[in-house]
Amino acid sequence: MFLNGCLPIFTTLFGWFWLGQKARFSQIAGLGIILIGVTLVGYEGFVSSAGGMTWLGDVLFLAAIALFAVFMVANRVWTMTPGQVVFAVTIVSAVFYVPIWLLWLDSNLAVAPGSEILLQGAYQGLVPSILGISCLNVAVRHIGTHMTSVFLSAVPVVAALVAIPILQEMPGLPAWIGMITVTVGILLALGIIGLN
């Protein structure tokens, strides 16, 4: 929920600082409404989570979202090809992460069934890492960082709606209000409807 609600805000801020892109009042209002709506969609998950040090995880996650927003704006500025982006995201990340994983993190890889390893390797290696990042790259180049991040804010709404027929999970009232709110925020942020 944080990712999809905060990403448009961070990309707008970094686009303003780095590219000099100005946002209209209706776009800024739309971003605020998206953040409120995404929070409502995930409200039940927020209130059911444990306390303790969860705030630290939230802060680190916000930092990761800010870095992803920098990546999106840099992608726009440097006009990287999908191949360059896939290489940077997968190979360069692996060079840094795999040694940390091998040396310090627990793994069940040795006891996992081979079919599960192949399934996860194929799915995680192809769908988000290649297909998803390539689509994101093309979207950023053609419609810009602001519009791409606004469209990404619809992900929690789509996931909640798809969960109804597939998982038989009926969203609660806050989630329904949040989905409507996110939709209004997206329409405002994209300039489809405006505030005078």
Side-chain angles (χ1 to χ4, degrees):
M1 298 302 153
F2 279 148
L3 172 65
N4 301 94
C6 295
L7 185 62
I9 294 167
F10 281 121
T11 54
T12 299
L13 284 173
F14 292 132
W16 178 49
F17 286 122
W18 195 347
L19 304 174
Q21 296 175 335
K22 303 293 184 203
R24 296 186 315 273
F25 175 74
S26 63
Q27 291 175 316
I28 294 168
L31 295 177
I33 291 169
I34 288 169
L35 185 60
I36 292 166
V38 168
T39 302
L40 286 170
V41 172
Y43 174 76
E44 292 166 348
F46 290 141
V47 296
S48 66
S49 64
M53 295 291 288
T54 55
W55 65 270
L56 180 59
D58 294 340
V59 169
L60 292 172
F61 197 59
L62 282 172
I65 295 165
L67 291 172
F68 188 65
V70 169
F71 163 75
M72 287 181 64
V73 174
N75 190 352
R76 174 75 176 198
V77 170
W78 298 329
T79 59
M80 299 168 69
T81 66
Q84 291 169 325
V85 172
V86 168
F87 177 81
V89 169
T90 57
I91 305 302
V92 175
S93 298
V95 166
F96 287 99
Y97 180 72
V98 170
I100 294 169
W101 174 65
L102 288 173
L103 294 172
W104 292 292
L105 301 177
D106 292 332
S107 173
N108 293 326
L109 195 60
V111 295
S115 60
E116 202 171 301
I117 293 170
L118 288 174
L119 173 67
Q120 289 299 318
Y123 175 76
Q124 296 294 341
L126 296 176
V127 178
S129 298
I130 295 177
L131 183 63
I133 292 295
S134 296
C135 290
L136 181 76
N137 171 262
V138 171
V140 165
R141 286 173 46 208
H142 289 283
I143 64 173
T145 56
H146 174 73
M147 284 189 158
T148 302
S149 64
V150 168
F151 278 117
L152 287 173
S153 66
V155 169
V157 174
V158 173
L161 292 174
V162 170
I164 297 171
I166 294 178
L167 302 173
Q168 285 75 48
E169 287 183 6
M170 187 58 68
L173 182 60
W176 283 110
I177 294 170
M179 287 187 271
I180 294 166
T181 306
V182 168
T183 303
V184 170
I186 289 171
L187 295 175
L188 278 168
L190 292 177
I192 294 171
I193 58 174
L195 294 175
N196 295 327

